[in-house]
């Protein structure tokens, strides 16, 4: 790709950008949100027509008017934003438009299941082909997207933030698949904000900034610090712990025996004013399900939620917000944003009562001032407050969701994967924001698949395994090894509980 130019209203997204991919290599493409890395790959994948420039595939100039044309030429893209049909099954989503037929007209469900099972087995992905997409977690939906794209057997595979919602174990499985494809001669483009992944998976690294291609280097020739300097041109927060001062002993939120089916089972914990409580665990451990119960998005089977010692009858998100509990979902598009509305409206729509005047009129001057402050303080890149939030980059959309709950001024803030899809510069800003909120007395629950993030920010770490609390660690005790040990010891948890029940039945002690 040479001389690629792309303009959107008010934004020069790509300015004479260039990119080269070799067969049988993994080429990492990195940059801050808005740098143009996703845009240039969408041009390659036929999503956007370039305003200028040239694309050559195996020495021949090509142009793609649609993603279907790009796929037919052997270029597949796994997008950062999920594109599954919610009501279809895993199998139906993977083979949509290519379903095996009987008698030329009827879908052959048996053959569809066999093809899907074979593909998932080849990729070592543990998914039920008959499960509906809308019942899957974000991480599992991401794996369906990857499987669907690989089913086309592409020569070029573009993966836009594929590891953002995956745990370390799942990332290791994904990288195994990527290495397998590389050995088969596939050229893989790996877009990621996790710079620690570059040394592990990438052969070369290209850095983009403000729509320009800054540099391309062999991965072994540049350090993480070198890449960061190329990315942002400024010093970022260090990698060491940056905990705020010790939290108060005041218990803001107390959870006792919270349960919902097999997803969340008898979970209890306390959350203190000024504390960041990290919640860790593997995919399926019940982290997001726990957050949704606390926010009233799902109905609990049992358990009690107390705010400042008083039971909070939380049966809906509206009641949770009234009780002072806010939730930043890991899936910002479905649960965090009104994509068709502008930036200003998204920043204030959870708090409209605060801006309501006589006869229900909204004080637009007040909403505009609040929105301007959030855009400035959170460094939200937008041409204006009136720009539709769907036009912003993923990282800036995430910042808008953070700003929405800051406007609501809730005391308990639940951040589910707060830095998913956010570049290294914006991630540093989110870290600073979380610390500042804790210093100002907010009580924070932070769910994250990135263990360095958990260790960096948490006063305590609550580890979940198959819906249960597997253990709790202080900041001084917590290490990646201890967290993973607890997160993977399902048998130990079950045996411990069985021993306790046996002791209770016999009146003895259980070891």
């Amino acid at each position: 790709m040479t001389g690629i130019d792309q303009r959107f209203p008010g934004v020069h997204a790509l300015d004479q950008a260039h990119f080269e991919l070799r067969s049988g290599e993994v080429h990492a493409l990195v940059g801050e949100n808005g740098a143009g890395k996703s845009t240039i790959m969408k041009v390659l994948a036929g999503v956007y027509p370039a305003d200028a420039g040239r694309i050559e595939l195996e020495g021949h100039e090509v142009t793609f008017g649609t993603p279907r044309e790009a796929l037919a030429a052997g270029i597949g893209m796994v997008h950062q934003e999920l594109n599954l049909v919610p009501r279809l099954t895993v199998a139906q989503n993977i083979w949509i438009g290519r379903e095996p037929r009987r008698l030329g007209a009827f879908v052959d469900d048996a053959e569809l299941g066999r093809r899907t099972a074979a593909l998932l087995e080849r990729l070592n992905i543990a998914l039920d082909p008959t499960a509906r997409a809308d019942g899957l977690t974000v991480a599992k939906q991401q794996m369906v997207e990857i499987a669907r794209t690989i089913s086309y057997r592409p020569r070029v595979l573009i993966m836009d933030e594929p590891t953002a919602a995956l745990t370390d174990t799942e990332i290791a499985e994904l990288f195994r698949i990527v290495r397998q494809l590389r050995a088969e001669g596939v050229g893989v483009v790996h877009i990621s904000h996790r710079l620690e992944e570059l040394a592990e998976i990438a052969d070369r690294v290209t850095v983009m900034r403000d729509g320009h291609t800054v540099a391309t280097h062999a991965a072994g020739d540049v350090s993480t610090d070198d890449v960061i300097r190329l990315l942002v041109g400024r010093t970022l927060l260090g990698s060491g712990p940056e905990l705020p001062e010790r939290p108060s002993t005041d218990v803001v939120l107390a959870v006792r025996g919270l349960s919902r089916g097999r997803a969340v089972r008898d979970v209890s914990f306390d959350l203190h004013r000024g504390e960041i409580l990290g919640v860790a665990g593997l995919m399926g451990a019940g982290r997001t399900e726990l957050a949704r119960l606390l926010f009233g998005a799902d109905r609990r089977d049992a358990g009690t939620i107390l705010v400042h010692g008083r039971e909070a009858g939380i049966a809906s998100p509206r009641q949770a917000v009234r009780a002072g509990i806010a939730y930043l979902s890991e899936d910002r598009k479905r649960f965090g944003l009104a994509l068709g509305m502008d930036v200003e409206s998204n920043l204030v729509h959870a708090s409209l009562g605060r801006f309501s005047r006589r006869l229900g009129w909204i004080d637009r001057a007040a909403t505009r001032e609040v929105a301007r402050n959030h855009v400035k303080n959170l460094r939200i890149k937008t041409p204006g407050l009136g720009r539709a939030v769907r036009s912003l980059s993923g990282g800036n959309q995430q910042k808008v969701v953070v700003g929405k709950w800051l406007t609501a001024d809730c005391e308990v803030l639940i951040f589910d994967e707060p830095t998913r899809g956010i570049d290294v510069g914006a991630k540093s800003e989110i870290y600073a924001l979380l610390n500042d909120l804790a210093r100002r007395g907010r009580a924070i629950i932070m769910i994250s698949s990135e263990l360095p993030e958990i260790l960096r920010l948490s006063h305590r770490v609550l580890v979940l395994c198959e819906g249960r609390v597997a253990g709790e660690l202080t900041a001084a005790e917590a290490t990646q090894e201890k967290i993973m040990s607890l997160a993977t010891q399902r048998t130990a948890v079950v045996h411990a509980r069985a021993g306790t029940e046996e002791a209770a039945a016999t009146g003895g002690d259980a070891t």
Side-chain angles (χ1 to χ4, degrees):
M1 306 182 73
T2 54
I4 305 297
D5 219 72
Q6 181 72 57
R7 293 178 182 271
F8 300 112
V11 178
H12 195 174
L14 296 173
D15 187 359
Q16 294 295 300
H18 57 89
F19 183 79
E20 176 192 85
L21 178 68
R22 300 167 184 164
S23 62
E25 80 163 344
V26 178
H27 196 138
L29 184 58
V30 299
E32 290 196 89
N33 286 105
K37 55 192 185 300
S38 293
T39 302
I40 193 172
M41 287 299 106
K42 287 180 178 179
V43 169
L44 177 59
V47 177
Y48 301 139
D51 295 328
R54 179 184 177 91
I55 302 174
E56 291 184 5
L57 181 63
E58 296 184 340
H60 303 285
E61 184 172 4
V62 294
T63 57
F64 303 124
T66 65
R68 184 180 293 273
E69 292 178 9
L71 266 175
I75 298 174
M77 183 169 183
V78 180
H79 294 270
Q80 177 183 353
E81 304 300 343
L82 304 174
N83 290 300
L84 301 180
V85 181
R87 293 184 178 276
L88 295 186
T89 66
V90 169
Q92 291 166 337
N93 268 286
I94 290 176
W95 303 102
I96 190 167
R98 302 173 292 151
E99 299 89 345
R101 300 280 177 175
R102 290 183 292 106
L103 305 177
F106 304 101
V107 174
D108 189 338
D109 290 322
E111 178 61 20
L112 183 68
R114 282 192 292 269
R115 288 187 186 182
T116 306
L119 176 64
L120 296 177
E121 183 179 0
R122 175 196 166 206
L123 301 178
N124 197 21
I125 296 175
L127 284 174
D128 178 2
T130 64
R132 277 185 23 163
D134 56 6
L136 301 178
T137 64
V138 170
K140 289 181 179 178
Q141 290 181 41
Q142 182 73 62
M143 297 307 284
V144 175
E145 293 270 14
I146 292 169
R148 178 170 64 185
T149 305
I150 292 177
S151 74
Y152 284 91
R153 298 190 176 276
R155 291 179 289 170
V156 174
L157 175 64
I158 305 162
M159 300 193 301
D160 193 353
E161 296 290 350
T163 63
L166 305 183
T167 64
D168 289 346
T169 302
E170 294 150 4
I171 290 171
E173 285 300 318
L174 174 62
F175 284 176
R176 181 193 59 77
I177 295 168
V178 169
R179 293 187 185 100
Q180 177 182 329
L181 295 171
R182 177 172 60 186
E184 295 170 1
V186 177
V188 179
V189 182
H190 181 69
I191 302 175
S192 180
H193 292 123
R194 294 180 170 180
L195 300 186
E196 67 273 12
E197 295 175 354
L198 303 188
E200 183 177 354
I201 195 65
D203 299 300
R204 288 194 293 165
V205 180
T206 288
V207 180
M208 295 191 69
R209 188 195 316 140
D210 298 329
H212 299 274
T213 303
V214 177
T216 298
H217 294 287
D221 293 344
V222 288
S223 67
T224 300
D225 289 341
D226 294 332
V227 174
I228 289 175
R229 280 191 290 270
L230 291 169
L231 278 173
V232 297
R234 63 181 187 271
T235 302
L236 300 175
L237 292 176
S239 58
E242 48 193 62
L243 295 173
E245 56 266 19
R246 294 170 64 89
S248 165
T249 57
D250 295 344
V251 175
V252 177
L253 179 72
V255 177
R256 299 290 180 265
L258 201 60
S259 299
R260 177 179 169 85
R262 296 183 61 82
V264 178
R265 295 186 271 184
D266 194 24
V267 170
S268 300
F269 64 90
D270 289 337
L271 179 67
H272 303 89
R273 182 164 55 86
E275 180 180 36
I276 300 177
L277 176 66
V279 179
L282 302 179
M283 186 176 74
R287 296 168 301 167
T288 294
E289 291 82 356
L290 172 61
R292 289 176 59 85
L293 289 180
L294 294 174
F295 192 60
D298 294 328
R299 188 174 296 276
R300 61 186 183 269
D301 297 334
T304 305
I305 301 172
L306 300 100
V307 178
H308 289 298
R310 295 184 178 181
E311 184 170 352
I314 297 174
S316 69
R318 183 187 298 273
Q319 291 175 340
V321 174
R322 286 176 178 168
I325 300 174
Y327 176 44
L328 181 87
S329 169
E330 64 173 338
D331 191 344
R332 57 180 173 265
K333 278 198 166 186
R334 289 176 66 194
F335 303 120
L337 296 167
L339 293 174
M341 296 173 70
D342 57 38
V343 172
E344 178 182 340
S345 299
N346 272 276
L347 285 168
V348 301
H349 77 225
S351 315
L352 285 179
R354 169 181 165 189
F355 303 101
S356 181
R357 300 297 180 259
R358 289 184 179 181
L359 302 177
W361 292 102
I362 301 299
D363 186 343
R364 286 298 177 188
T367 62
R368 201 164 295 119
E369 181 181 0
V370 168
R372 278 201 200 99
N373 287 336
H374 285 320
V375 167
K376 177 182 177 181
N377 296 334
L378 297 175
R379 299 178 65 181
I380 300 172
K381 293 182 181 178
T382 174
L385 297 177
R387 175 56 60 92
V389 78
R390 66 157 52 95
S391 68
L392 303 186
S393 67
N396 285 299
Q397 288 180 351
Q398 191 80 313
K399 291 182 185 180
V400 171
V401 183
V402 174
K404 175 183 74 173
W405 291 122
L406 293 181
T407 304
D409 200 30
C410 290
E411 189 173 6
V412 176
L413 304 174
I414 305 170
F415 288 86
D416 194 351
E417 303 288 359
T419 61
R420 175 177 178 256
I422 288 181
D423 63 74
V424 65
K427 184 177 288 191
S428 183
E429 294 164 8
I430 294 295
Y431 291 166
L433 172 63
L434 289 171
N435 278 280
D436 183 57
L437 291 170
R439 290 188 185 98
R440 287 192 273 145
R442 306 293 175 94
I444 297 171
I445 296 173
M446 184 189 68
I447 301 168
S448 178
S449 299
E450 297 189 39
L451 293 186
E453 189 167 87
I454 289 283
L455 295 173
R456 182 174 185 167
L457 294 170
S458 306
H459 291 96
R460 287 183 297 135
V461 180
L462 196 71
V463 184
L464 299 184
C465 179
E466 294 199 346
R468 295 187 175 96
V469 176
E472 181 183 303
L473 301 168
T474 65
E477 296 169 335
T479 64
Q480 292 196 40
E481 292 76 14
K482 287 183 179 179
I483 292 173
M484 287 305 297
S485 177
L486 288 169
T488 56
Q489 287 187 12
R490 181 188 74 86
T491 306
V493 173
V494 172
H495 285 175
R497 286 185 171 273
T500 302
E501 291 167 3
E502 181 181 352
T506 60
D509 296 328
T511 302

